[in-house]
Amino acid sequence: MPASGRPEGADRETARAGRRVAQGAVGRAEAPEPGEEPRHGQRPHHGGDGVGRPREGGGPSGAGRSRPRGGEPGGSVPEQAPHGGRSAASGAPHGEVSRPAAGEAAGEQVPAPAGPLPTPPARSAHPGESGEVAAARQAGGDRLRFIGAATRRIARGIDLDEIVLGLCRATVPTFADAILVYLRDPLPVGDERPTGPVVLRLRRTDRIPEEPDTNGGRLPMLPAQPDLGPAMGGSAAELAEVEPGGPLAEVLRGVRPLFGEAQAARTALPELLGPDPRLPSGHRVILAPLRGRRRVIGAAVFLRRPDRPAFEPDDLLVAAQLATHTALGVDKAVLYGREAYIADALQRTMLPDSLPQPTGVRLASRYLPAAETARVGGDWYDAIPLPGSRVALVVGDVMGHSMTSAAIMGQLRTTAQTLAGLDLPPQEVLHHLDEQAQRLGSDRMATCMYAVYDPVAHRITIANAGHPPPVMLHRGGRAEVLRVPSGAPIGVGGVDFEAVELDAPAGATLVLYTDGLVESRIRDVWTGIEQLRERLAETARLTGPNPPPLEPMCDEVLDMLGPGDRDDDIALLAARFDGIAPSDVAYWYLDPKAQTAGQARRLARRALARWGLEELTDQLELLVSEVVTNAVRYAERPITLRLLRTDVLRCEVGDDVPQLPRLRQARPSDEGGRGLYLVNRMARRWGATRLSMGKVVWFELSMPPGTPRR
C-alpha cells in the first residue's frame, strides 16, 4: 500500500487515465500508408490542432530543459542559443551563417518542449491527480505550444527561402542541434507531373553556432563537439538522385519519419547524405520525408550530439508535424512563385519592350507597379510611328491594378495600335476605343491621352478621354500645364471627344503620365499636377539654357513620390521634340499624267544636289520612278512627293487610292510587276500605310559613308 493510502493498481489506472487526457489534448497525426494521400481530416493547421500525441516519456528532449517558468513548477522556457538565440549554417553547400533578420529579433520565440530531466512534481489543478499524470499533462501542453509556435513561424514565410529558414529557426536549437533540408530539383508545380529522375538538392543547413570567448577566440559551445559530418562542417552531398525502388525511395514513399537507427533509415541516409555521413549513434537522428499536397517533395534530417539526450518516440510525431507544415508551405511558395512569374510575363507582354526611335523626337518612359507584390496593373504607354515621320504618343489607365485590369489594358493597347495604323485623327481613335471598351463589358472603363506629333510642321494634336492633362517643358525652363479638354473616360459611351492642335517647338518636352504619379491618399490630383510642374521647372533650371536629359529627368520626376504616395501604378512617357528643319524637307504636288515620272526624277535629282548627296542619285531616281509610275496609273487627284533628309533619306509618295500595293513575284512573260521587287531589293526599308483619303508608299535609303549625322 503506498503512502497515499490508495492501492497501487488504482495509481496506475489513474496515471493511464491522465495520459489519455494528455493524449486527447494533443492528438495524434497519423502518417498515410506508402503511396496513400493524406486524409482530409489529418491536415494540420496553425492553431496547433492535429499535433502528435505524447507518450509516457513526455515531449521532445531538446535544449529547452532550462529553468521553470515563474509560477509553473515543472514548466520550461526556451533555451536561448548563443548570440540571442541565433543559429548559424554549417560549412556544407549553402551553409553560410544564417542569423535572424533585424525584424525577427522581436518576433515570436519558439517554446522548448519538455525534457526527461527530473523536475519538481507539477501542481495539478485536478484533485486526486498523481504527479505522473500532471507531468504527462504538462509535457503534452509544452509539446502543443512548441509545435504551434513552430508552425506559425513556418507559415509566416511567403517565398521558398523564408519557409525553409522558418523551419530551421524553429527547430535549432530548441528541437535539434542541426538540420539539413533537401528539396526536389526542380520542384513540381501544382498538379504537374514531373518527368525524369527524382533529384534532391541540399537547400539549407543550420546548426548551433560556436560562441566567442572573452579573449576574442572561439570555443566549442559544449565540452565535447563530435564530428557530425554534414551538420557540423563535414561534407554532405549537395545532390542526391533517388533511385527507383531504392532504400531512400522506400523511406520517402512511406512518409513517416524514422529514427536514424532504423534499418530503413540506415540504408537511406548514405544515399541522401553521401557514402560516409558519420552520424551520431543512438536515437539522435530523425529522417523526415517532406510530403506536399500530391507527392513527396524533399526530406529533412534532424540531428543531436551524442552528449545530448536522444530523441524520444514522441519526437517522431513532432518531426512529422514540422515536415507536413513545411511541405505544405513549400507547395504554397512554389504556386505563388509561378503566379508571380505569370504576372511578370503578362506585364512584360502588355508594355512595349523598347520604344521606337522615330525621326525628330526622342523618347523615355517609366513604369512602376502599385507594390512589389502586385507587379501588374492597368496603366500603359506606347509610341507608334506613323506615315510622314509622325509619331503617336499614348498613355492610358484602366480602372484597378489587377490581372483583369492588365488583360483589358492589353486589349485596348492592341486596339489603339491598330487604329493608329489607319492614321485616324486622335478624336476618332478615342471614339473607337470607347466602343471597344463597351464591347468588353459594362464596367470596363479607362482614361487615355492620345497625341500625334508632326516633326515637319512642329505641331502636336491631342485628344483626351478623362486623363490628367499633359505638361509641356519649354526650352527656356518654363513648365506649362496644357489646356486640353478633359472629355469622358473610355467606356462611358455616347460622348464626343475633342482634339486640339498646339505648337511643339524644337527643344520642348511633353510629359504624359497616369494619375498614380500626381494623386494619392495625402494629396489631390491638382496639387500633384502643380508639384509635377514645379519639379520639371526646377530640373530645367539645373541645366541652364539646354533642356535636361530625358532619362535623368524621368528619375527626378519619380523622386517626387513620398512614402505614402504609391497607391496606384504609374506610367510615364516623356517626348523631346527635335523636329525636322525646313531645309531638310522637299515637297511637291504632281499631276497624275504620263510625264509625271520623269518630272519626279528631275525634282529628286535637284534636291540631292542641293544636299550634297549625289551618290544616291541613281538609286533614288530608279525607285522614285517605279513608285510614282504605280501611283499615276490609278490616281485621279494630284499625287504628293516628299523627301526628308535625317539620319536616312526618306521618300514618300501619296495618292488617293486606298488599296495597298503588295509584293509579288512576276513571271518571265509579264511586262510589269517588278517595281516593288526593285524597291524591296534596293531600299533599306519600305512600306505602305493606308490613310483616310488614300495611302502613302515610302522607302528609305542609307546615307553615304562619311555623311555627318543630323
Side-chain angles (χ1 to χ4, degrees):
M1 180 75 65
S4 60
R6 301 177 60 186
E8 293 182 1
D11 281 345
R12 286 194 297 271
E13 184 64 25
T14 303
R16 284 194 293 271
R19 286 195 296 272
R20 287 195 295 270
V21 170
Q23 292 167 357
V26 179
R28 176 182 295 273
E30 292 288 348
E33 294 297 329
E36 177 186 352
E37 293 287 341
R39 292 190 296 273
H40 179 72
Q42 292 178 350
R43 290 187 178 179
H45 49 83
H46 300 158
D49 295 337
V51 185
R53 180 169 57 186
R55 299 186 181 177
E56 189 170 351
S61 56
R65 291 192 311 276
S66 57
R67 61 185 181 278
R69 282 189 290 270
E72 294 187 15
S76 62
V77 297
E79 176 181 328
Q80 299 295 323
H83 313 292
R86 299 175 180 173
S87 58
S90 72
H94 313 290
E96 72 280 356
V97 175
S98 59
R99 302 189 181 279
E104 291 189 19
E108 179 182 9
Q109 294 291 333
V110 179
L117 288 180
T119 56
R123 184 176 302 171
S124 175
H126 302 272
E129 189 178 68
S130 68
E132 185 180 358
V133 175
R137 185 188 300 276
Q138 179 66 37
D142 288 344
R143 184 176 295 104
L144 182 63
R145 285 189 292 272
F146 166 71
I147 296 180
T151 52
R152 284 193 297 271
R153 167 171 274 188
I154 295 170
R156 281 200 299 264
I158 296 178
D159 60 20
L160 193 60
D161 291 332
E162 290 179 350
I163 292 172
V164 176
L165 178 61
L167 171 65
C168 296
R169 294 279 169 81
T171 55
V172 178
T174 307
F175 181 69
D177 296 332
I179 183 175
L180 297 92
V181 182
Y182 283 81
L183 296 179
R184 291 186 66 160
D185 186 25
L187 278 166
V189 181
D191 57 355
E192 292 181 357
R193 183 176 296 276
T195 58
V198 178
V199 178
L200 301 182
R201 178 181 293 274
L202 182 62
R203 186 76 185 191
R204 189 176 186 89
T205 64
D206 212 349
R207 66 181 177 89
I208 297 178
E210 292 179 340
E211 188 175 40
D213 63 358
T214 56
N215 298 325
R218 303 194 70 82
L219 298 176
M221 181 181 175
L222 298 175
Q225 184 167 323
D227 181 15
L228 295 184
M232 295 302 176
S235 58
E238 183 179 358
L239 289 176
E241 182 174 344
V242 181
E243 299 180 2
L248 182 57
E250 293 298 326
V251 172
L252 297 179
R253 188 179 297 112
V255 179
R256 293 186 178 90
L258 299 174
F259 285 126
E261 294 294 313
Q263 178 61 33
R266 281 204 306 268
T267 55
L269 283 172
E271 184 179 349
L272 178 66
L273 305 179
D276 186 20
R278 294 174 293 171
L279 298 175
S281 59
H283 287 181
R284 291 181 175 85
V285 179
I286 292 180
L287 174 58
L290 303 179
R291 182 180 180 85
R293 292 175 176 84
R294 295 183 180 274
R295 60 184 62 86
V296 174
I297 60 174
V301 181
F302 304 93
L303 303 104
R304 286 185 185 174
R305 296 186 180 95
D307 53 356
R308 297 288 302 279
F311 288 114
E312 299 177 356
D314 286 333
D315 292 333
L316 293 177
L317 303 178
V318 175
Q321 289 293 315
L322 298 176
T324 299
H325 281 272
T326 302
L328 294 177
V330 169
D331 270 353
K332 174 188 68 176
V334 172
L335 290 173
Y336 174 81
R338 172 61 63 87
E339 182 178 342
Y341 170 79
I342 294 174
D344 286 341
L346 176 63
Q347 188 65 56
R348 287 193 298 269
T349 304
M350 294 297 102
L351 296 177
D353 294 333
S354 61
L355 293 174
Q357 298 178 353
T359 302
V361 61
R362 287 172 286 170
L363 303 172
S365 63
R366 294 291 187 274
Y367 175 80
L368 291 179
E372 289 298 325
T373 55
R375 299 296 301 177
V376 295
D379 292 13
W380 90 92
Y381 61 88
D382 216 338
I384 309 167
L386 300 177
S389 298
R390 295 171 301 150
V391 60
L393 307 174
V394 191
V395 169
D397 182 5
V398 178
M399 181 176 58
H401 46 82
S402 62
M403 299 282 283
T404 303
S405 301
I408 297 172
M409 176 263 286
Q411 293 174 304
L412 293 180
R413 179 179 174 234
T414 302
T415 304
Q417 289 179 328
T418 304
L419 296 171
L422 300 177
D423 201 24
L424 298 177
Q427 64 272 21
E428 289 296 323
V429 172
L430 294 184
H431 174 73
H432 289 291
L433 284 176
D434 179 61
E435 292 181 338
Q436 175 67 12
Q438 294 180 65
R439 285 191 290 267
L440 294 176
S442 59
D443 58 345
R444 306 308 193 215
M445 299 182 62
T447 62
C448 183
M449 181 78 67
Y450 189 92
V452 175
Y453 170 65
D454 189 343
V456 177
H458 296 270
R459 303 282 289 178
I460 186 168
T461 306
I462 306 176
N464 188 11
H467 206 76
V471 179
M472 178 80 78
L473 178 63
H474 295 273
R475 190 180 186 91
R478 179 174 64 91
E480 174 189 8
V481 179
L482 299 182
R483 296 183 178 180
V484 179
S486 59
I490 291 172
V492 173
V495 180
D496 291 332
F497 299 98
E498 183 181 354
V500 295
E501 188 174 351
L502 305 171
D503 289 330
T509 304
L510 182 70
V511 179
L512 305 176
Y513 54 91
T514 56
D515 58 355
L517 180 65
V518 295
E519 186 180 18
S520 67
R521 290 171 293 180
I522 61 177
R523 62 179 177 183
D524 61 86
V525 61
W526 289 107
T527 301
I529 292 174
E530 181 62 22
Q531 292 178 359
L532 173 61
R533 189 194 66 79
E534 294 176 353
R535 175 58 65 94
L536 288 172
E538 180 182 352
T539 304
R541 284 194 294 268
L542 298 177
T543 58
N546 298 321
L550 278 182
E551 297 294 340
M553 187 194 73
C554 291
D555 294 334
E556 288 291 331
V557 168
L558 294 182
D559 285 343
M560 65 179 282
L561 298 172
D565 292 349
R566 293 286 300 281
D567 298 332
D568 197 2
D569 46 341
I570 299 170
L572 175 66
L573 179 63
R576 173 72 43 77
F577 301 139
D578 295 331
I580 299 177
S583 59
D584 293 328
V585 181
Y587 194 89
W588 303 278
Y589 284 96
L590 304 175
D591 292 328
K593 55 185 180 181
Q595 297 82 6
T596 301
Q599 182 184 2
R601 288 195 297 269
R602 290 192 299 272
L603 294 173
R605 188 186 312 117
R606 293 172 187 173
L608 292 182
R610 185 171 66 250
W611 291 334
L613 300 175
E614 290 84 355
E615 298 181 35
L616 301 178
T617 301
D618 294 339
Q619 285 181 277
L620 183 62
E621 284 188 4
L622 177 59
L623 300 185
V624 165
S625 179
E626 294 293 339
V627 177
V628 170
T629 299
N630 289 338
V632 169
R633 181 177 301 175
Y634 304 103
E636 297 179 357
R637 298 178 181 178
I639 65 173
T640 60
L641 172 63
R642 185 166 73 168
L643 298 179
L644 301 175
R645 180 182 62 158
T646 57
D647 54 343
V648 297
L649 180 64
R650 183 183 177 98
C651 176
E652 299 173 351
V653 178
D655 58 59
D656 60 344
V657 181
Q659 285 79 15
L660 300 180
R662 294 183 179 179
L663 180 64
R664 64 185 181 89
Q665 190 72 31
R667 293 173 296 183
S669 59
D670 292 341
E671 295 183 359
R674 296 176 177 84
L676 287 182
Y677 177 77
L678 293 174
V679 174
N680 184 62
R681 292 298 300 268
M682 299 179 65
R684 179 175 178 264
R685 288 195 312 157
W686 78 278
T689 305
R690 182 179 287 110
L691 306 178
S692 57
M693 298 298 294
K695 69 175 180 295
V696 169
V697 180
W698 57 269
F699 62 86
E700 294 177 352
L701 297 177
S702 300
M703 289 293 187
T707 304
R709 295 180 60 88
R710 305 193 63 81

